[in-house]
Amino acid sequence: MPAIVLLGAQWGDEGKGKVTDLLGEQVDYVVRYSGGNNAGHTVITPDGQKYALHLMPSGALSPSAMIVIGNGVVVDPKVLLEEIDGLAARGVDVSRLRISGDAHLIMPHHRALDKVTERYLGKAKIGTTGRGIGPAYGDKVARMGIRLQDLLDPGILRKKLELALREKNQTLFKVYNRTAIDVDTVIAEYLEYAERLTPYIAETRVMLWDALDRGENVLLEGAQATMLDMDHGTYPFVTSSNPTAGGACIGAGIPPTAITKVIAVSKAYTTRVGSGPFPTELFDANGEHLRKIGHEYGTTTGRERRCGWFDAVVARYACRLNGVTDLVITKLDVLTGLEKVPICVGYEIDGKRYDDMPMTQTAFHHATPIYEELDGWWEDITKARTEDDLPENARRYIARIEEICRTRVSVVGVGPGREENVVRTPLI
Ligand code: IMP
């Protein structure tokens, strides 16, 4: 029963699409299990076509795989339909898509509340993507959510929306001084979506179990990343779901015993968008180098990403938390030309050394990185395809990451192109 989890080991944007590419034709089902259209990935197909996806998994473009949006995802139907139409217009077969009836819907009040609460928080804001993700998950947990399956029953849809808006409109109007949202307008809009989305709504759990029984490969594709996990990340500066391996089971309805491989992707340095602690963040020319050479600007919001050195404490934490079997290090080429390539191997917090993540968020905010300074390399590594093609110092850098994380590095990305990888151990 080969289910493979693919997730980010840092704060997102690690380049998970690269791995989907490498797995390519061997994947029969590709499943999104958490998050919503806060994610963003650009996929470049072998014929050079560029696609920007937010809700669909990046594997949607591998021609034969079934595409599944699991119960753990929050779906903005407008965005999903735009993506379906965009893909169909370019000849992609979207009839392969199935969406769990248990996935929750992002409603207009979720988007409105995401924006006003962030504004209200001022300097303490989380820096969300403003897509309504947090409020949608909040309602799910509060048992006030509206699910994809509710689109199939207009009576229930209205009942649930009326109930939700009774409270949300009070908040929007009385607390935040916004106009109330009209039930009828939303119902009319969502019933139109219902008509178009109905063919895609399915019992995805059984579908995936059957696929696993047949011995097919199911790829559980994470969005966001370990350090943005609501339970295990840098709370409250996290997203409102569980992008970690445990979340993959919950968000797809797949048993943990079905998972045979957990692939974690990490950049050779670190980036983060939005607020929150980031011990190895750089504010100097090196940070600028990483941003410029690595093109570190958000796919979803266009925001500048914060950049810093590789944090091996975070990477080891991610490996242990997710039970990672294979690490993929992307964008090693971005470090080319730097005299020293430091790796953060621990933190100093209030005069004490920590080799693991400290217990409290307050301590993490005060963490000063302890670096091991490795020598850099100048050679162009973008043509490297085997380990031997890499300069000795680049090899040492990877070996040190492997050693600290106690996890094998199977693939190293050496350029943006699909082929620009050093494969040390094949992923499948
Ligand atoms: P939300 O998911 O929109 O609620 O945002 C919560 C935090 O997660 C913010 O710091 C976002 O910038 C961050 N975030 C959400 N999705 C992504 C992503 O796909 N990549 C990187 N950061 C993300």
Side-chain angles (χ1 to χ4, degrees):
M1 296 215 299
I4 302 165
V5 178
L6 166 62
L7 47 80
Q10 300 169 306
W11 278 281
D13 312 307
E14 293 91 351
K16 294 178 276 285
K18 212 161 215 220
V19 177
T20 314
D21 265 356
L22 277 169
L23 298 174
E25 306 285 297
Q26 297 170 84
V27 170
D28 302 295
Y29 284 76
V30 49
V31 189
R32 254 305 283 276
Y33 61 82
S34 70
N37 57 313
N38 46 350
H41 30 251
T42 309
V43 188
I44 301 167
T45 52
D47 55 354
Q49 292 218 54
K50 203 170 164 179
Y51 296 84
L53 301 173
H54 296 282
L55 251 175
M56 291 274 205
S58 60
L61 290 160
S62 67
S64 52
M66 285 295 287
I67 314 159
V68 177
I69 293 182
N71 56 280
V73 176
V74 286
V75 177
D76 188 323
K78 183 165 184 274
V79 175
L80 180 59
L81 284 166
E82 277 164 10
E83 255 168 49
I84 291 175
D85 291 343
L87 289 171
R90 294 167 77 176
V92 177
D93 174 17
V94 280
S95 69
R96 298 171 293 135
L97 172 69
R98 295 291 177 275
I99 315 161
S100 165
D102 289 347
H104 281 244
L105 285 164
I106 297 181
M107 305 298 292
H109 56 271
H110 295 137
R111 284 193 302 269
L113 284 165
D114 196 0
K115 295 208 173 96
V116 285
T117 47
E118 276 284 275
R119 216 169 297 146
Y120 204 72
L121 283 169
K123 268 196 180 152
K125 74 175 182 192
I126 291 162
T128 72
T129 58
R131 306 292 194 263
I133 307 294
Y137 278 114
D139 278 359
K140 172 179 177 174
V141 176
R143 292 164 295 187
M144 285 185 74
I146 302 177
R147 296 187 288 177
L148 259 293
Q149 59 179 283
D150 298 325
L151 293 178
L152 307 175
D153 184 338
I156 282 285
L157 179 67
R158 175 173 285 276
K159 228 185 211 167
K160 290 195 172 176
L161 184 66
E162 275 172 355
L163 207 67
L165 284 183
R166 200 182 298 162
E167 185 214 329
K168 305 297 175 193
N169 274 340
Q170 294 282 332
T171 312
L172 281 168
F173 182 63
K174 291 193 180 147
V175 180
Y176 297 111
N177 204 19
R178 302 279 123 180
T179 36
I181 291 171
D182 177 53
V183 177
D184 290 331
T185 313
V186 179
I187 291 287
E189 181 187 339
Y190 275 65
L191 285 180
E192 262 178 50
Y193 300 146
E195 205 173 303
R196 294 211 45 212
L197 287 175
T198 299
Y200 301 107
I201 303 174
E203 174 44 277
T204 52
R205 269 175 290 252
V206 174
M207 211 173 107
L208 294 173
W209 298 337
D210 288 345
L212 289 168
D213 284 348
R214 290 193 297 270
E216 293 179 354
N217 290 323
V218 174
L219 177 67
L220 305 165
E221 191 184 292
Q224 291 81 49
T226 302
M227 299 310 284
L228 290 172
D229 186 281
M230 195 176 45
D231 287 82
H232 304 289
T234 47
Y235 189 90
F237 302 104
V238 291
T239 192
S240 299
S241 62
N242 294 108
T244 41
C249 297
I250 302 287
I254 285 204
T257 45
I259 293 168
T260 51
K261 216 176 236 293
V262 180
I263 304 169
V265 188
S266 171
K267 279 180 195 166
Y269 49 97
T270 312
T271 64
R272 172 163 206 176
V273 277
S275 323
F278 176 179
T280 63
E281 184 169 10
L282 293 166
F283 300 95
D284 58 6
N286 285 323
E288 210 31 63
H289 170 99
L290 297 176
R291 186 171 306 111
K292 212 167 123 210
I293 308 295
H295 307 288
E296 297 297 354
Y297 303 90
T299 329
T300 300
T301 56
R303 289 180 288 181
E304 260 192 12
R305 293 183 185 139
R306 301 158 64 192
C307 298
W309 297 128
F310 186 83
D311 188 332
V313 181
V314 163
R316 189 176 53 233
Y317 177 77
C319 286
R320 298 180 81 185
L321 180 68
N322 294 299
V324 173
T325 56
D326 298 81
L327 252 179
V328 172
I329 302 293
T330 55
K331 295 186 139 183
L332 186 67
D333 54 303
V334 174
L335 298 182
T336 299
L338 294 167
E339 197 154 315
K340 293 282 176 192
V341 277
I343 293 179
C344 167
V345 294
Y347 305 130
E348 197 200 295
I349 303 168
D350 301 328
K352 202 174 145 209
R353 183 186 167 120
Y354 288 72
D355 292 320
D356 288 299
M357 293 287 289
M359 187 190 80
T360 70
Q361 186 73 5
T362 308
F364 194 54
H365 270 279
H366 296 159
T368 308
I370 299 169
Y371 287 118
E372 226 175 77
E373 294 223 321
L374 278 72
D375 289 328
W377 59 91
W378 298 88
E379 300 88 336
D380 173 15
I381 61 168
T382 56
K383 308 276 178 311
R385 295 296 173 265
T386 68
E387 172 121 38
D388 291 342
D389 299 336
L390 289 173
E392 195 186 335
N393 287 346
R395 286 205 305 267
R396 258 197 213 132
Y397 186 73
I398 295 299
R400 189 66 186 120
I401 290 176
E402 200 163 48
E403 196 173 60
I404 300 172
C405 295
R406 294 181 229 133
T407 307
R408 75 169 173 230
V409 172
S410 297
V411 178
V412 180
V414 292
R418 293 167 72 93
E419 308 305 325
E420 290 175 323
N421 301 305
V422 167
V423 179
R424 299 167 94 219
T425 308
L427 288 174
I428 197 166

